[in-house]
């Protein structure tokens, strides 16, 4: 288990079929709310990295629940393959970690988990984030992050360009 305010989680794929990764570190906790540093990188050495000449990088919609769990905080990015570093979100991610019914969220090496009140059992919190990653293609403006049931989700005009 991660020591509080000490280590990042492992690098985790934001989406299993795209080579964009994220990791988290809890920096502080106050009144059941955790403040987290969030970092992203492109996994150039992974077999799912899009190395075709048409692939310029990745679109990312990164979303996590607001403290009242009624909506999401959304950020939009265009990660270009020319970026070889680690990008840190400029503002901390605030997440409710302790709930009035006694249930809790926990950050472990391989992501966020939750436990029900009075239980020591941990369950993967797979639905905590509602993010989308897609390839940026030179030949097309299409992105699955902005089509079908996700129509209007990726906001190109508000995207932060990372290159």
């Amino acid at each position: 288990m991660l020591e509080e305010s000490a280590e990042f989680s492992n690098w985790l794929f934001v989406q299993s079929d795209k080579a964009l990764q994220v990791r988290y570190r809890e920096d502080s906790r106050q009144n059941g709310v955790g403040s987290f540093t969030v970092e992203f990188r492109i996994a150039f050495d992974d077999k799912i990295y899009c190395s075709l000449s048409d692939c310029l990088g990745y679109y990312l919609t990164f979303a996590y629940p607001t403290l009242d769990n009624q909506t999401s905080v959304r950020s939009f990015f265009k990660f270009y393959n020319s970026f070889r570093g680690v990008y840190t979100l400029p503002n901390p991610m605030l997440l409710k970690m302790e709930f009035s019914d006694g249930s809790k969220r926990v950050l472990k090496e391989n992501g966020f988990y939750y436990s029900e009140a009075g239980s020591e059992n941990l369950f993967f919190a797979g639905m905590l984030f509602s993010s989308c990653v897609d390839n940026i293609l030179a030949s097309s403006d299409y992105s699955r992050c902005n089509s079908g049931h996700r129509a209007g989700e990726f906001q190109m005009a508000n995207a932060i360009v990372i290159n």
Side-chain angles (χ1 to χ4, degrees):
M1 187 164 164
L2 294 172
E3 292 181 33
E4 190 174 331
S5 302
E7 299 177 36
F8 277 96
S9 67
N10 295 335
W11 282 106
L12 310 166
F13 287 98
V14 177
Q15 197 170 287
S16 63
D17 65 338
K18 302 296 177 199
L20 194 63
Q21 294 180 314
V22 63
R23 68 179 180 177
Y24 310 94
R25 180 184 68 212
E26 186 171 358
D27 298 316
S28 65
R29 188 176 299 196
Q30 186 173 0
N31 299 323
V33 174
S35 177
F36 294 85
T37 296
V38 180
E39 294 184 339
F40 297 98
R41 73 174 183 186
I42 298 174
F44 293 100
D45 295 333
D46 196 89
K47 64 184 176 186
I48 60 173
Y49 170 69
C50 185
S51 59
L52 301 171
S53 61
D54 197 34
C55 287
L56 304 178
Y58 297 96
Y59 293 110
L60 168 65
T61 300
F62 180 69
Y64 58 91
T66 55
L67 294 177
D68 66 2
N69 214 28
Q70 297 301 307
T71 186
S72 294
V73 175
R74 294 188 178 282
S75 302
F76 310 97
F77 302 92
K78 291 169 74 175
F79 280 88
Y80 283 95
N81 290 337
S82 56
F83 180 72
R84 298 287 175 162
V86 173
Y87 177 78
T88 304
L89 282 182
N91 298 314
M93 176 179 73
L94 301 177
L95 275 182
K96 192 161 190 161
M97 299 297 285
E98 300 167 16
F99 299 88
S100 59
D101 67 357
S103 60
K104 297 178 181 179
R105 286 183 182 137
V106 205
L107 176 61
K108 309 260 303 161
E109 288 88 354
N110 54 348
F112 284 90
Y113 289 77
Y114 70 93
S115 65
E116 296 174 340
S119 173
E120 295 296 318
N121 295 331
L122 292 176
F123 304 95
F124 183 67
M127 299 303 289
L128 182 58
F129 301 101
S130 60
S131 300
C132 183
V133 181
D134 199 11
N135 298 332
I136 299 172
L137 301 175
S139 61
S140 172
D141 288 335
Y142 171 82
S143 171
R144 70 177 173 196
C145 297
N146 203 14
S147 64
H149 73 282
R150 294 182 172 271
E153 183 175 305
F154 186 82
Q155 298 175 7
M156 191 70 70
N158 294 325
I160 297 168
V161 176
I162 312 296
N163 58 11

